[in-house]
Amino acid sequence: MQKENINKSSSNPLSFGEGWGEAIRADFPILQREVYGKPLIYLDNAATTQKPRSVVESINHEYYSVNANVHRGVHFLSQQATELHEASREAVRRFINAKSTNEIVFTRGTTESINLLAFSFGEAFLAEGDEVIISTMEHHSNIVPWQLLAARKGVAIKVIPINDKGELLIDEYKTLFSERTKLVSIVHVSNVLGTINPIKEIVQIAHAHEVPVLIDGAQSVPHIPVDVQELDVDFYAFSAHKIYGPTGIGVLYGKEKWLDALPPYQGGGEMIQTVTFEKTTFNELPFKFEAGTPDYIGTTALAKALEYVNAIGLKNIAEYEHELTQYATQQLKQIDKLRIFGEAEHKSSVISFLVGDIHHFDMGTLLDRLGIAVRTGHHCAQPLMQRMGVEGTVRASFAFYNTKEEVDFLAAGIERVAKMF
Ligand code: PLP
């Protein structure tokens, strides 16, 4: 049985077998805590993931020993901080297999990445009457930026419908294209339904119309291997905090040819080459899109998180989480009057449900009293809730550190709450 703390052996990945769960859980101190005198069962990983020691220690270490502002500093610390920051960009590049670090823009998260693109792409390429395609299962952060753009520029938004299992209707998608379609922006994995969308096919269809594609990868990058070159996506967005990294850091990947063609999103330091009162020239990629002091402590910690995930292996993670989600689905389905929302053939580790007419908020609050952390509400996907005919759901979302035992607690907890109504 492998019991070694992964941080001490990150170059030597854990064997993926009996006992690996225990060893991994030991790397996440928060998982050992209790709430209301009960062991914490953390099943809100789609909202944010917990952080391994190596990530938290990286933040402490850099503030204690390396802290200095990055880029253009002549002194030792600044150069060291810059090296760490740029090494993190390389770590991200490798993680998603981008061609070049020029294609990796650091942002505050998925939301900012999408807003950046909506603004810059909108400025450069969209005019009144042009169209953007999104889908019914988008998070608000892949709806509202397009609505803001629509209000600013008179752009139309077209929406791909879904079936009752929570899958995109690809034939309907094909019919949405017109000569005015300028961009497709789609979620890779739904944060409510867990559906894994067929991105390669979606991209191929869009490219056949010479339309570029942005993918919201907030819920995919932590759970399934993503290769942006293989998917041939034009843009890809994700957040560090959902992949065991710190809050406040995210990534926008963009093919160099596209990023080159786009104007800056924000102005300030870092993103310029020369400034006079008459004219400013912009910095090269990716700095053109990174105005102001970046969160260089956060980028180093993100690289640590990716190192941790690499040590376990995303294939192992995907396999384990798939098994755990299938087990949870079976257990939950045995509960009287429990309805699951999202039964796509290809599904990630999210289960949204309701039991009878018990309000999702009541279910979540009472599960919390048993030490079980789930999310309730519309999950920032109100149009999807309308499609499903509900106001909200309860959502349990799993990570590789969750166990079958925790799933059993969840199932027993739901039954206990149900009996109270
Ligand atoms: N897109 C999806 C699918 C999400 O699940 C989330 C967060 O839950 C976001 C976007 C927004 O991510 P962030 O708040 O980290 O910017």
Side-chain angles (χ1 to χ4, degrees):
M1 204 193 296
Q2 171 64 271
K3 289 257 192 184
E4 208 178 337
N5 182 310
I6 198 166
N7 295 317
K8 295 188 191 124
S9 60
S10 54
S11 57
N12 176 23
L14 282 175
S15 64
F16 186 72
E18 204 195 330
W20 82 294
E22 265 176 75
I24 280 172
R25 285 177 73 84
D27 286 336
F28 293 80
I30 204 169
L31 299 178
Q32 320 304 322
R33 73 161 289 181
E34 296 189 337
V35 291
Y36 312 111
K38 300 188 173 63
L40 168 69
I41 296 178
Y42 186 77
L43 302 178
D44 195 17
N45 295 287
T48 199
T49 51
Q50 300 303 346
K51 319 304 171 198
R53 264 201 190 89
S54 59
V55 168
V56 180
E57 282 168 4
S58 150
I59 294 168
N60 276 345
H61 173 260
E62 197 165 348
Y63 273 126
Y64 283 145
S65 310
V66 192
N67 182 47
N69 208 332
V70 292
H71 300 142
R72 296 177 317 281
V74 291
H75 63 82
F76 182 89
L77 279 189
S78 173
Q79 289 184 10
Q80 208 174 21
T82 303
E83 270 169 32
L84 282 173
H85 180 60
E86 292 306 322
S88 305
R89 203 185 299 277
E90 167 59 18
V92 171
R93 184 205 67 72
R94 237 180 300 123
F95 195 76
I96 59 171
N97 193 32
K99 263 192 194 147
S100 155
T101 49
N102 291 350
E103 299 177 320
I104 306 298
V105 177
F106 284 124
T107 63
R108 283 194 303 120
T110 309
T111 303
E112 191 176 55
S113 297
I114 298 173
N115 276 277
L116 186 168
L117 196 77
F119 178 85
S120 292
F121 193 89
E123 285 304 299
F125 295 112
L126 294 182
E128 191 174 347
D130 284 340
E131 295 162 0
V132 174
I133 297 178
I134 60 173
S135 87
T136 307
M137 66 172 84
E138 300 309 318
H139 187 279
H140 294 163
S141 61
N142 197 26
I143 300 174
V144 184
W146 306 112
Q147 289 175 329
L148 294 175
L149 177 66
R152 217 168 55 238
K153 288 231 163 183
V155 166
I157 298 169
K158 289 186 161 180
V159 183
I160 312 170
I162 58 171
N163 63 22
D164 290 340
K165 282 162 72 183
E167 295 163 324
L168 291 179
L169 296 176
I170 296 296
D171 286 341
E172 301 274 338
Y173 165 58
K174 290 177 185 164
T175 68
L176 295 182
F177 285 87
S178 77
E179 70 281 1
R180 300 305 302 266
T181 309
K182 292 291 158 62
L183 188 75
V184 172
S185 188
I186 299 290
V187 72
H188 195 160
V189 172
S190 161
N191 64 314
V192 176
L193 306 163
T195 310
I196 302 175
N197 286 319
I199 297 306
K200 228 172 152 172
E201 190 184 357
I202 286 168
V203 169
Q204 276 165 2
I205 293 164
H207 285 179
H209 293 273
E210 296 182 358
V211 172
V213 181
L214 163 65
I215 298 298
D216 169 354
Q219 300 293 345
S220 44
V221 163
H223 300 290
I224 52 178
V226 169
D227 179 331
V228 290
Q229 291 192 66
E230 203 227 327
L231 293 172
D232 200 21
V233 292
D234 301 280
F235 306 98
Y236 202 95
F238 66 95
S239 304
H241 72 99
K242 292 187 196 285
I243 184 162
Y244 315 99
T247 53
I249 267 289
V251 171
L252 176 66
Y253 158 82
K255 282 182 182 165
E256 201 161 342
K257 68 165 186 185
W258 279 114
L259 293 183
D260 258 337
L262 297 180
Y265 171 49
Q266 294 180 329
E270 297 272 346
M271 52 75 73
I272 56 89
Q273 207 144 47
T274 60
V275 178
T276 66
F277 284 118
E278 289 71 38
K279 183 176 164 61
T280 290
T281 57
F282 303 127
N283 206 341
E284 59 199 18
L285 289 178
F287 309 110
K288 180 171 86 173
F289 293 105
E290 295 180 351
T293 299
D295 181 1
Y296 50 86
I297 306 281
T299 55
T300 309
L302 166 60
K304 278 282 167 204
L306 299 183
E307 184 183 304
Y308 190 91
V309 167
N310 280 332
I312 302 173
L314 259 175
K315 272 198 177 146
N316 290 334
I317 289 174
E319 206 176 289
Y320 177 81
E321 290 178 350
H322 181 69
E323 196 185 311
L324 191 66
T325 308
Q326 278 199 322
Y327 178 72
T329 305
Q330 281 164 12
Q331 298 301 104
L332 265 55
K333 275 190 167 171
Q334 285 169 27
I335 297 171
D336 196 29
K337 296 191 188 142
L338 188 142
R339 274 190 299 159
I340 289 180
F341 297 86
E343 300 206 75
E345 198 177 319
H346 300 288
K347 197 177 157 173
S348 180
S349 56
V350 168
I351 303 182
S352 280
F353 64 92
L354 287 172
V355 182
D357 55 8
I358 302 172
H359 196 274
H360 50 86
F361 183 73
D362 292 334
M363 176 61 80
T365 306
L366 292 165
L367 286 175
D368 173 57
R369 290 281 151 177
L370 301 172
I372 304 169
V374 292
R375 189 144 292 246
T376 65
H378 54 63
H379 315 296
C380 296
Q382 284 182 335
L384 176 58
M385 295 297 134
Q386 282 150 23
R387 165 64 179 80
M388 300 191 306
V390 295
E391 189 197 302
T393 68
V394 186
R395 181 185 72 187
S397 52
F398 307 101
F400 57 74
Y401 45 60
N402 291 123
T403 63
K404 284 189 176 173
E405 198 187 3
E406 289 182 314
V407 168
D408 293 339
F409 268 109
L410 171 69
I414 296 169
E415 289 203 278
R416 196 164 147 191
V417 172
K419 280 203 188 99
M420 293 165 70
F421 283 83

